[in-house]
């Protein structure tokens, strides 16, 4: 039997190979993975424990209903990032603004900040479909030792030092990049460790899947409608693509990353905006997608080149295999 490589071992090994590494980023990634294990533990018994499913009765800054498990995952991540001392502040889809950890003595000299969507696709929880956690790590630009600022959190995706996601699915996986390829780790629940299962993930250059909430078809611009019509057309002996849509970005993204294809969440004619958040969903996924050989674009600009104006900014996104995204952009 081959020896298992745990996430911790892999992180330490990668740290040794990176000349300037100090171990801080490694410890930060480790803290996130521990928080993910706790979230996983509670999600997996969500149907059994009373008073854990359903809504909290409040809405977040974006006007969306907050689920009890959204709040739980948010609290766990903040707790672990705060106590570790490697993070000077966080921004979360579930918080109104960023949270500085400057008052915590152990965080005073931290140079990293973490942005996250604690539980993405949470409308799927009550029916036991896959959900996920998405995270994005930046170096602060304000001086170390001072409270972090709004500008620290509004850096373009190009500046990410690491990003990743955890998918709580038929098995739980953590996938991440530090800009040196993408690796995936499956949680072995018997030993409580994430173990390397998908090394150096490369997405197919072309795939047969398209993922979109097609119920919104009439709310899309004509060019997006034309692209969807292309996806389903069988003209000139072309085979229609297969529509696969869970409604949980992490799960839709993960499947397409491994199998090839495209995920789109376009602009809505009603709101003039996309739905997905640049800082918590689009940037981290775009970093991973590009590192795996794919592409991510808003329809006008590479996602990672967008200069953010707001923490909770929403953008349209076309993300996936190179050939599929190029085809979509040609419309
Ligand atoms: P959430 O972060 O509040 O869970 O919302 C984001 C989710 C994504 O996971 C998913 O891709 C999208 O919303 C689905 O939206 P829709 O129901 O409009 O298709
Ligand atoms: Mg989300």
């Amino acid at each position: 039997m081959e020896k298992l490589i745990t996430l911790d071992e892999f992180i330490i090994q990668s740290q040794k190979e990176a000349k300037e590494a100090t171990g801080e980023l490694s410890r930060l990634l480790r803290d996130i993975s521990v928080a993910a294990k706790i979230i996983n533990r509670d999600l997996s018994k969500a149907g059994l424990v009373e008073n854990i499913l359903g809504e909290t009765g409040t809405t977040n800054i974006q006007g969306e209903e907050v689920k009890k498990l959204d709040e739980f995952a948010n609290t766990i991540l903040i707790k672990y990032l705060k106590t570790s001392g490697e993070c000077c502040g966080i921004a979360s889809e579930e918080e109104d603004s960023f949270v500085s950890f400057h008052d915590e003595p152990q965080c005073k000299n931290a140079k990293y900040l973490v942005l996250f969507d604690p539980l993405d696709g949470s409308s799927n929880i009550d029916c036991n479909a896959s959900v996920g956690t998405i995270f994005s790590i930046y170096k602060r630009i304000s001086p170390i030792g001072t409270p972090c600022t709004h500008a620290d959190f509004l850096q373009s995706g190009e500046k990410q030092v690491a990003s990743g996601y955890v998918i709580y699915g038929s098995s739980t996986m953590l996938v991440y990049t530090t800009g040196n390829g993408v690796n995936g780790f499956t949680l072995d629940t018997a030993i409580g460790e994430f173990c390397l299962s998908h090394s150096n993930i490369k997405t197919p250059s072309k795939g047969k899947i398209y993922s979109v909430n097609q119920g919104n078809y009439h709310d899309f611009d004509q060019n997006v409608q034309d692209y969807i019509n292309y996806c389903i057309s069988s003209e000139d002996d072309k085979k229609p693509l297969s529509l696969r849509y869970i409604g949980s970005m992490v799960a839709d993204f993960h499947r397409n990353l491994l199998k090839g294809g495209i995920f789109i969440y376009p602009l809505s004619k009603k709101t003039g905006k996309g739905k997905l958040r640049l800082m918590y969903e689009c940037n981290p996924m775009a970093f991973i997608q590009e590192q795996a050989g794919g592409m991510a674009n808003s329809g006008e600009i590479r996602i990672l080149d967008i200069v953010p104006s707001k923490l909770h900014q929403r953008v349209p996104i076309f993300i996936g295999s190179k050939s599929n995204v190029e085809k979509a952009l040609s419309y």
Side-chain angles (χ1 to χ4, degrees):
M1 196 178 108
E2 263 186 58
K3 182 183 168 292
L4 291 173
I5 300 175
T6 66
L7 175 63
D8 290 355
E9 233 179 303
F10 185 89
I11 291 174
I12 291 166
Q13 196 51 42
S14 313
Q15 184 196 319
K16 280 189 195 148
E17 284 161 19
K19 278 183 243 119
E20 291 139 33
T22 57
E24 290 152 289
L25 179 62
S26 303
R27 287 194 290 274
L28 193 52
L29 287 166
R30 199 179 161 276
D31 298 331
I32 293 173
S33 77
V34 175
K37 284 188 221 173
I38 312 262
I39 296 170
N40 176 66
R41 183 193 66 194
D42 284 50
L43 275 181
S44 64
K45 55 184 184 197
L48 298 172
V49 179
E50 254 181 70
N51 220 11
I52 193 166
L53 290 176
E55 278 86 37
T56 55
T58 56
T59 51
N60 64 17
I61 188 160
Q62 296 149 86
E64 297 154 342
E65 280 182 349
V66 178
K67 299 256 177 194
K68 287 179 190 157
L69 281 166
D70 282 324
E71 204 171 77
F72 167 77
N74 192 47
T75 308
I76 293 291
L77 276 160
I78 293 179
K79 186 169 153 189
Y80 277 81
L81 291 170
K82 198 186 266 181
T83 45
S84 79
E86 304 302 348
C87 175
C88 62
I90 61 101
S92 159
E93 200 182 286
E94 301 301 338
E95 299 287 334
D96 295 358
S97 186
F98 69 88
V99 180
S100 163
F101 295 164
H102 188 66
D103 292 339
E104 304 289 327
Q106 71 280 13
C107 301
K108 280 230 164 9
N109 293 319
K111 62 178 182 218
Y112 291 107
L113 30 111
V114 185
L115 293 88
F116 52 83
D117 179 353
L119 211 53
D120 178 65
S122 54
S123 63
N124 277 314
I125 300 170
D126 296 354
C127 54
N128 203 9
S130 298
V131 290
T133 295
I134 311 175
F135 61 90
S136 172
I137 303 178
Y138 292 81
K139 257 189 203 157
R140 62 183 304 170
I141 48 177
S142 58
I144 292 178
T146 61
C148 51
T149 66
H150 216 234
D152 287 325
F153 289 91
L154 290 185
Q155 301 183 57
S156 66
E158 183 59 32
K159 296 274 174 3
Q160 290 172 102
V161 292
S163 79
Y165 60 85
V166 183
I167 174 167
Y168 310 101
S170 47
S171 60
T172 294
M173 273 189 77
L174 187 150
V175 176
Y176 83 99
T177 182
T178 53
N180 191 17
V182 180
N183 291 285
F185 301 80
T186 302
L187 181 64
D188 182 331
T189 48
I191 58 169
E193 297 276 6
F194 282 105
C195 299
L196 183 62
S197 53
H198 296 63
S199 90
N200 197 18
I201 299 174
K202 290 289 168 211
T203 198
S205 58
K206 188 173 183 181
K208 295 183 182 145
I209 295 173
Y210 77 109
S211 306
V212 60
N213 185 340
Q214 203 152 326
N216 294 336
Y217 179 87
H218 295 292
D219 189 31
F220 297 151
D221 283 343
Q222 184 62 50
N223 43 8
V224 176
Q225 292 181 354
D226 290 345
Y227 173 64
I228 291 176
N229 291 332
Y230 157 80
C231 289
I232 60 179
S233 93
S234 51
E235 274 171 31
D236 305 327
D237 286 338
K238 170 189 160 294
K239 282 208 178 123
L241 303 191
S242 295
L243 171 62
R244 297 281 181 271
Y245 192 70
I246 296 168
S248 174
M249 188 196 197
V250 175
D252 283 312
F253 176 91
H254 182 69
R255 179 200 52 238
N256 292 6
L257 181 74
L258 299 183
K259 296 196 166 188
I262 184 168
F263 171 93
I264 70 180
Y265 210 110
L267 200 83
S268 148
K269 275 199 285 206
K270 266 187 237 128
T271 62
K273 288 189 261 185
K275 173 182 180 188
L276 299 178
R277 269 97 350 171
L278 176 62
M279 307 308 290
Y280 315 113
E281 288 153 340
C282 300
N283 271 338
M285 294 311 210
F287 191 20
I288 293 171
Q289 187 67 251
E290 287 198 3
Q291 283 291 316
M295 279 176 76
N297 197 287
S298 73
E300 282 183 350
I301 176 172
R302 178 177 169 245
I303 293 286
L304 297 180
D305 285 337
I306 298 175
V307 178
S309 55
K310 280 193 295 207
L311 212 44
H312 295 292
Q313 182 173 347
R314 297 174 191 263
V315 292
I317 186 164
F318 299 78
I319 185 166
S321 299
K322 198 161 178 283
S323 159
N324 297 64
V325 176
E326 278 169 351
K327 185 74 186 174
L329 295 180
S330 73
Y331 282 79

